[in-house]
Amino acid sequence: MDCPSEEQMIRMKLESYAQVKHLDFDIPNRKLEVYHVDDVKAIKTSIASLKLGDSLEGTTEAEPPVMEDQSKQKRILWWVLGINFGFFVIEMTTGWISSSMGLVADSLDMLADSIVYALSLFAVGGAISRKKKVAKYSGYFQMALATLGFAEVLRRFFSNTETPLFQWMIIVSIFALAGNLISLWLINKAKSQEAHMQASAIFTSNDIIVNGGVIVAGVLVYFLNSKWPDLVIGGIVFTFVMRGALRILKLSK
């Protein structure tokens, strides 16, 4: 499990199985403990269909662990969702104003995170078909945006476009970095050992790295007086966005 989307894929896949009582994800070690009744064969087959490179290590009798306070976790995830979606809007707007593909790409990366968090929050208690439909539309929407982003990067690469406003790149990315640091602080403050909280911390840490990349690109734009650093970071982040879209689409299968 290297991100929340993989966890969601498994949860949505196994949700219809009445014999599954609890799922305990170990994100860093890519392990999953399934607490269930009856035979494990159907569960194993279902997980294998996701093609995540799974293998069954063994089975044993055990009692499901005591659940942590879900309300506290949900409040934190709502805050993280709000921060991510807010900066999606801010970076998308300022990205086009400043002609920065780095900011636009980072905004879509924020949107990808927001979609996964929203699926986690809104899907609670909902019908499986509705969850999969939301994931499908969200994935295609994000894929379309990433494709348009790649096309715009190529257009600017082969045309004589203006150099992006490095001031906007640096300032907005610093604020986005601060937002992600706050998100990471909130997540770590919960001290939760549950998978979706650990995955959220990983997601947010990756966002911090992306923010730093856009800041560095802005500095290089200033010193080199060139659009190339912005296009390079934009292309790199759009690749992550496309990858995220493909992962979200897997949720709909």
Side-chain angles (χ1 to χ4, degrees):
M1 308 307 110
D2 61 350
C3 73
S5 59
E6 289 188 357
E7 179 188 344
Q8 276 293 96
M9 287 166 60
I10 295 173
R11 288 189 183 279
M12 292 173 67
K13 194 72 174 179
L14 298 182
E15 190 173 33
S16 60
Y17 288 81
Q19 65 264 41
V20 176
K21 303 303 179 182
H22 178 71
L23 300 176
D24 189 3
F25 290 82
D26 182 355
I27 298 291
N29 296 313
R30 295 183 61 80
K31 290 184 178 181
L32 166 64
E33 292 182 354
V34 181
Y35 293 83
H36 64 94
V37 295
D38 300 330
D39 187 58
V40 73
K41 184 177 180 180
I43 298 173
K44 184 178 184 301
T45 301
S46 184
I47 294 176
S49 67
L50 296 174
K51 299 180 180 179
L52 297 176
D54 65 286
S55 62
L56 178 62
E57 292 189 354
T59 60
T60 185
E61 292 188 5
E63 290 293 327
V66 178
M67 296 295 292
E68 297 181 16
D69 183 7
Q70 297 295 310
S71 61
K72 181 179 179 181
Q73 294 178 10
K74 285 185 178 181
R75 285 197 301 271
I76 291 174
L77 288 178
W78 272 113
W79 275 103
V80 175
L81 170 60
I83 291 172
N84 273 267
F85 189 78
F87 274 103
F88 155 66
V89 175
I90 293 171
E91 289 190 304
M92 177 63 75
T93 303
T94 56
W96 284 112
I97 293 174
S98 63
S99 299
S100 171
M101 285 292 95
L103 285 178
V104 172
D106 191 27
S107 75
L108 293 183
D109 188 43
M110 291 285 201
L111 176 63
D113 295 353
S114 299
I115 290 173
V116 175
Y117 293 138
L119 285 172
S120 299
L121 288 166
F122 291 126
V124 176
I128 296 176
S129 59
R130 186 175 64 186
K131 298 176 188 179
K132 291 185 176 181
K133 185 178 294 185
V134 171
K136 179 179 179 180
Y137 291 149
S138 299
Y140 280 126
F141 175 67
Q142 185 176 317
M143 183 180 290
L145 291 177
T147 302
L148 290 174
F150 276 124
E152 181 63 14
V153 168
L154 290 175
R155 186 190 72 80
R156 296 188 182 203
F157 183 84
F158 290 107
S159 62
N160 186 23
T161 55
E162 61 184 10
T163 302
L165 301 176
F166 68 89
Q167 300 95 328
W168 286 80
M169 293 177 64
I170 296 173
I171 293 173
V172 174
S173 292
I174 287 175
F175 278 108
L177 176 62
N180 279 318
L181 287 172
I182 292 172
S183 296
L184 187 60
W185 175 74
L186 288 171
I187 294 169
N188 289 334
K189 184 181 178 182
K191 297 180 180 179
S192 174
Q193 297 301 313
E194 292 200 23
H196 63 284
M197 297 299 287
Q198 295 179 30
S200 297
I202 293 172
F203 243 29
T204 305
S205 298
N206 291 337
D207 289 342
I208 290 172
I209 295 174
V210 172
N211 295 147
V214 178
I215 292 172
V216 171
V219 173
L220 290 175
V221 167
Y222 168 69
F223 281 108
L224 301 177
N225 192 28
S226 169
K227 63 183 179 182
W228 305 122
D230 178 62
L231 295 181
V232 170
I233 191 65
I236 292 173
V237 180
F238 277 131
T239 301
F240 291 142
V241 172
M242 181 63 76
R243 183 186 177 193
L246 294 174
R247 288 180 180 274
I248 291 172
L249 284 175
K250 281 188 176 182
L251 296 175
S252 65
K253 295 182 179 180

Coordinates of all heavy atoms in Angstrom, one line a residue, residues 62-106:
A62 N -7.9 -15.0 15.2 CA -7.6 -13.8 15.9 C -8.9 -13.0 16.1 O -9.9 -13.1 15.3 CB -6.6 -13.0 15.2
E63 N -8.9 -12.1 17.1 CA -10.0 -11.2 17.3 C -9.7 -9.8 16.7 O -8.5 -9.4 16.7 CB -10.2 -11.0 18.8 CG -10.8 -12.2 19.5 CD -12.2 -12.5 19.0 OE1 -12.9 -11.6 18.7 OE2 -12.5 -13.7 19.0
P64 N -10.7 -9.1 16.0 CA -10.4 -7.8 15.5 C -10.0 -6.8 16.5 O -10.4 -6.9 17.7 CB -11.8 -7.4 14.9 CG -12.5 -8.7 14.7 CD -12.1 -9.6 15.8
P65 N -9.1 -5.9 16.2 CA -8.6 -4.9 17.1 C -9.6 -3.9 17.5 O -10.6 -3.7 16.8 CB -7.4 -4.3 16.4 CG -7.8 -4.4 14.9 CD -8.5 -5.7 14.8
V66 N -9.4 -3.2 18.6 CA -10.3 -2.1 19.0 C -10.1 -0.9 18.1 O -9.0 -0.5 17.9 CB -10.1 -1.8 20.5 CG1 -11.0 -0.6 20.9 CG2 -10.3 -3.0 21.4
M67 N -11.2 -0.4 17.6 CA -11.1 0.7 16.6 C -10.8 2.0 17.4 O -11.2 2.3 18.5 CB -12.5 0.9 15.9 CG -12.8 -0.3 15.0 SD -11.6 -0.5 13.7 CE -12.0 0.9 12.7
E68 N -10.0 2.9 16.7 CA -9.7 4.2 17.2 C -10.9 5.1 17.0 O -11.9 4.8 16.4 CB -8.5 4.8 16.5 CG -7.2 4.0 16.7 CD -6.0 4.6 16.0 OE1 -6.1 5.8 15.6 OE2 -5.0 3.9 15.8
D69 N -10.8 6.3 17.6 CA -11.9 7.3 17.5 C -12.0 7.8 16.1 O -11.2 8.6 15.6 CB -11.6 8.5 18.5 CG -12.7 9.5 18.5 OD1 -13.7 9.3 17.9 OD2 -12.5 10.6 19.1
Q70 N -13.1 7.4 15.4 CA -13.2 7.8 14.0 C -13.6 9.3 13.8 O -13.3 9.9 12.8 CB -14.3 6.9 13.4 CG -13.9 5.4 13.3 CD -12.7 5.1 12.5 OE1 -12.7 5.6 11.3 NE2 -11.8 4.4 13.0
S71 N -14.4 9.8 14.8 CA -14.8 11.2 14.7 C -13.6 12.2 14.6 O -13.6 13.1 13.9 CB -15.8 11.6 15.8 OG -15.1 11.4 17.1
K72 N -12.6 11.9 15.4 CA -11.4 12.8 15.5 C -10.7 12.7 14.1 O -10.3 13.7 13.6 CB -10.5 12.4 16.6 CG -9.3 13.2 16.7 CD -8.4 12.8 17.9 CE -7.1 13.6 18.0 NZ -6.3 13.2 19.1
Q73 N -10.6 11.5 13.6 CA -9.9 11.3 12.4 C -10.6 12.0 11.2 O -10.0 12.6 10.4 CB -9.7 9.8 12.1 CG -8.8 9.1 13.0 CD -8.8 7.6 12.7 OE1 -9.3 7.1 11.7 NE2 -8.2 6.8 13.6
K74 N -12.0 11.9 11.2 CA -12.7 12.5 10.2 C -12.6 14.1 10.2 O -12.5 14.7 9.2 CB -14.2 12.1 10.3 CG -14.5 10.7 9.9 CD -16.0 10.5 9.9 CE -16.3 9.1 9.4 NZ -17.8 8.8 9.4
R75 N -12.6 14.6 11.4 CA -12.4 16.1 11.5 C -11.1 16.5 10.9 O -11.0 17.5 10.2 CB -12.4 16.5 13.0 CG -13.8 16.5 13.6 CD -13.9 17.3 14.9 NE -13.0 16.8 15.9 CZ -13.3 15.9 16.8 NH1 -14.5 15.4 16.8 NH2 -12.4 15.5 17.7
I76 N -10.0 15.7 11.2 CA -8.7 16.1 10.7 C -8.7 15.9 9.1 O -8.2 16.8 8.4 CB -7.6 15.1 11.3 CG1 -7.4 15.5 12.7 CG2 -6.3 15.3 10.5 CD1 -6.5 14.5 13.5
L77 N -9.3 14.8 8.6 CA -9.4 14.6 7.2 C -10.2 15.7 6.5 O -9.9 16.1 5.4 CB -9.9 13.3 6.9 CG -9.0 12.1 7.2 CD1 -9.7 10.8 6.9 CD2 -7.7 12.2 6.4
W78 N -11.2 16.2 7.2 CA -12.0 17.3 6.6 C -11.1 18.6 6.5 O -11.2 19.3 5.5 CB -13.2 17.7 7.5 CG -14.4 16.9 7.2 CD1 -15.1 15.9 7.9 CD2 -15.2 17.0 6.0 NE1 -16.2 15.4 7.3 CE2 -16.3 16.1 6.1 CE3 -15.1 17.8 4.8 CZ2 -17.2 15.9 5.1 CZ3 -16.1 17.6 3.8 CH2 -17.1 16.7 3.9
W79 N -10.3 18.9 7.5 CA -9.4 20.0 7.4 C -8.4 19.8 6.3 O -8.1 20.7 5.5 CB -8.6 20.1 8.8 CG -9.4 20.9 9.8 CD1 -10.1 20.5 10.9 CD2 -9.5 22.4 9.8 NE1 -10.6 21.5 11.6 CE2 -10.3 22.7 10.9 CE3 -9.1 23.4 9.0 CZ2 -10.7 24.0 11.3 CZ3 -9.4 24.7 9.3 CH2 -10.2 25.0 10.4
V80 N -7.8 18.6 6.2 CA -6.8 18.3 5.1 C -7.5 18.4 3.8 O -6.9 19.0 2.8 CB -6.2 16.9 5.3 CG1 -5.3 16.6 4.2 CG2 -5.4 16.9 6.6
L81 N -8.7 17.9 3.6 CA -9.4 18.0 2.4 C -9.7 19.5 2.0 O -9.5 19.9 0.9 CB -10.8 17.3 2.5 CG -11.8 17.5 1.3 CD1 -11.2 17.1 0.0 CD2 -13.1 16.8 1.6
G82 N -10.1 20.3 3.0 CA -10.3 21.7 2.8 C -9.1 22.5 2.3 O -9.1 23.3 1.4
I83 N -8.0 22.2 3.0 CA -6.7 22.8 2.6 C -6.3 22.4 1.2 O -5.9 23.3 0.4 CB -5.6 22.4 3.6 CG1 -5.9 23.1 5.0 CG2 -4.2 22.9 3.1 CD1 -4.9 22.6 6.1
N84 N -6.4 21.1 0.9 CA -6.0 20.7 -0.5 C -6.9 21.3 -1.6 O -6.4 21.8 -2.6 CB -6.1 19.1 -0.5 CG -4.8 18.5 -0.1 OD1 -3.9 18.2 -0.9 ND2 -4.7 18.3 1.2
F85 N -8.2 21.3 -1.3 CA -9.1 21.8 -2.4 C -8.9 23.3 -2.5 O -9.0 23.9 -3.6 CB -10.5 21.4 -2.1 CG -11.5 21.7 -3.2 CD1 -11.5 20.9 -4.3 CD2 -12.3 22.9 -3.2 CE1 -12.4 21.2 -5.4 CE2 -13.1 23.2 -4.2 CZ -13.2 22.4 -5.4
G86 N -8.7 24.0 -1.4 CA -8.6 25.4 -1.4 C -7.3 25.8 -2.2 O -7.4 26.7 -3.0
F87 N -6.2 25.1 -2.0 CA -5.0 25.4 -2.8 C -5.1 24.9 -4.2 O -4.4 25.5 -5.1 CB -3.8 24.9 -2.1 CG -3.3 25.8 -1.0 CD1 -3.5 25.5 0.3 CD2 -2.6 26.9 -1.4 CE1 -3.0 26.4 1.3 CE2 -2.1 27.8 -0.4 CZ -2.3 27.5 0.9
F88 N -6.0 24.0 -4.5 CA -6.2 23.6 -5.9 C -6.8 24.8 -6.6 O -6.4 25.2 -7.7 CB -7.2 22.4 -6.0 CG -8.0 22.4 -7.3 CD1 -7.4 22.2 -8.5 CD2 -9.4 22.6 -7.3 CE1 -8.1 22.1 -9.7 CE2 -10.1 22.6 -8.4 CZ -9.5 22.4 -9.7
V89 N -7.8 25.5 -6.0 CA -8.4 26.6 -6.6 C -7.4 27.8 -6.7 O -7.3 28.4 -7.8 CB -9.6 27.1 -5.8 CG1 -10.2 28.4 -6.4 CG2 -10.7 26.0 -5.8
I90 N -6.7 28.0 -5.7 CA -5.7 29.2 -5.6 C -4.6 28.9 -6.7 O -4.3 29.9 -7.5 CB -5.1 29.3 -4.2 CG1 -6.2 29.8 -3.2 CG2 -3.9 30.3 -4.3 CD1 -5.7 29.7 -1.8
E91 N -4.0 27.8 -6.7 CA -2.9 27.5 -7.6 C -3.4 27.4 -9.1 O -2.6 27.9 -10.0 CB -2.2 26.2 -7.2 CG -1.4 26.3 -5.9 CD -0.5 25.1 -5.7 OE1 -1.0 24.0 -5.6 OE2 0.7 25.3 -5.5
M92 N -4.5 26.9 -9.3 CA -5.0 26.9 -10.7 C -5.2 28.3 -11.2 O -4.8 28.6 -12.3 CB -6.4 26.1 -10.7 CG -7.0 26.0 -12.1 SD -6.0 25.2 -13.4 CE -6.2 23.5 -12.9
T93 N -5.8 29.1 -10.4 CA -6.1 30.5 -10.8 C -4.8 31.3 -11.0 O -4.6 31.9 -12.0 CB -7.0 31.2 -9.7 OG1 -8.2 30.5 -9.5 CG2 -7.3 32.6 -10.2
T94 N -3.9 31.3 -10.0 CA -2.7 32.0 -10.1 C -1.8 31.4 -11.1 O -0.9 32.1 -11.7 CB -2.0 32.1 -8.7 OG1 -1.8 30.8 -8.3 CG2 -2.8 32.8 -7.7
G95 N -1.9 30.1 -11.4 CA -1.0 29.5 -12.4 C -1.3 30.0 -13.8 O -0.4 30.3 -14.5
W96 N -2.6 30.1 -14.1 CA -2.9 30.7 -15.4 C -2.6 32.2 -15.5 O -2.2 32.6 -16.6 CB -4.4 30.4 -15.7 CG -4.7 29.0 -16.1 CD1 -5.4 28.1 -15.4 CD2 -4.3 28.3 -17.3 NE1 -5.4 26.9 -16.0 CE2 -4.7 27.0 -17.2 CE3 -3.5 28.7 -18.4 CZ2 -4.5 26.0 -18.2 CZ3 -3.2 27.8 -19.4 CH2 -3.7 26.5 -19.3
I97 N -2.9 32.9 -14.4 CA -2.6 34.3 -14.4 C -1.1 34.6 -14.6 O -0.7 35.5 -15.4 CB -3.0 35.0 -13.1 CG1 -4.6 35.0 -13.0 CG2 -2.5 36.4 -13.0 CD1 -5.1 35.5 -11.7
S98 N -0.2 33.8 -14.0 CA 1.2 33.9 -14.0 C 1.9 33.1 -15.2 O 3.1 33.2 -15.3 CB 1.8 33.6 -12.7 OG 1.6 32.2 -12.4
S99 N 1.1 32.4 -15.9 CA 1.6 31.6 -17.0 C 2.6 30.5 -16.5 O 3.5 30.2 -17.2 CB 2.3 32.4 -18.1 OG 1.4 33.3 -18.7
S100 N 2.3 30.0 -15.3 CA 3.1 28.9 -14.7 C 2.5 27.6 -14.8 O 1.5 27.3 -14.2 CB 3.4 29.3 -13.3 OG 4.1 28.2 -12.6
M101 N 3.1 26.7 -15.6 CA 2.6 25.3 -15.7 C 2.9 24.6 -14.4 O 2.3 23.6 -14.0 CB 3.3 24.6 -16.9 CG 2.7 25.0 -18.2 SD 1.0 24.5 -18.5 CE 0.1 25.9 -17.9
G102 N 4.0 25.0 -13.7 CA 4.3 24.4 -12.4 C 3.2 24.5 -11.4 O 2.8 23.6 -10.7
L103 N 2.6 25.7 -11.3 CA 1.5 26.0 -10.4 C 0.3 25.2 -10.8 O -0.5 24.7 -10.0 CB 1.2 27.5 -10.3 CG 2.2 28.3 -9.4 CD1 1.8 29.8 -9.5 CD2 2.3 27.8 -8.0
V104 N 0.0 25.2 -12.1 CA -1.2 24.5 -12.6 C -1.1 23.1 -12.3 O -2.1 22.4 -11.9 CB -1.4 24.8 -14.1 CG1 -2.5 23.9 -14.7 CG2 -1.7 26.3 -14.4
A105 N 0.1 22.5 -12.6 CA 0.3 21.1 -12.3 C 0.1 20.7 -10.9 O -0.5 19.7 -10.5 CB 1.6 20.6 -12.9
D106 N 0.7 21.6 -10.0 CA 0.6 21.3 -8.6 C -0.8 21.4 -8.1 O -1.2 20.7 -7.2 CB 1.5 22.3 -7.8 CG 1.7 22.0 -6.4 OD1 1.6 20.8 -6.0 OD2 1.9 22.9 -5.5

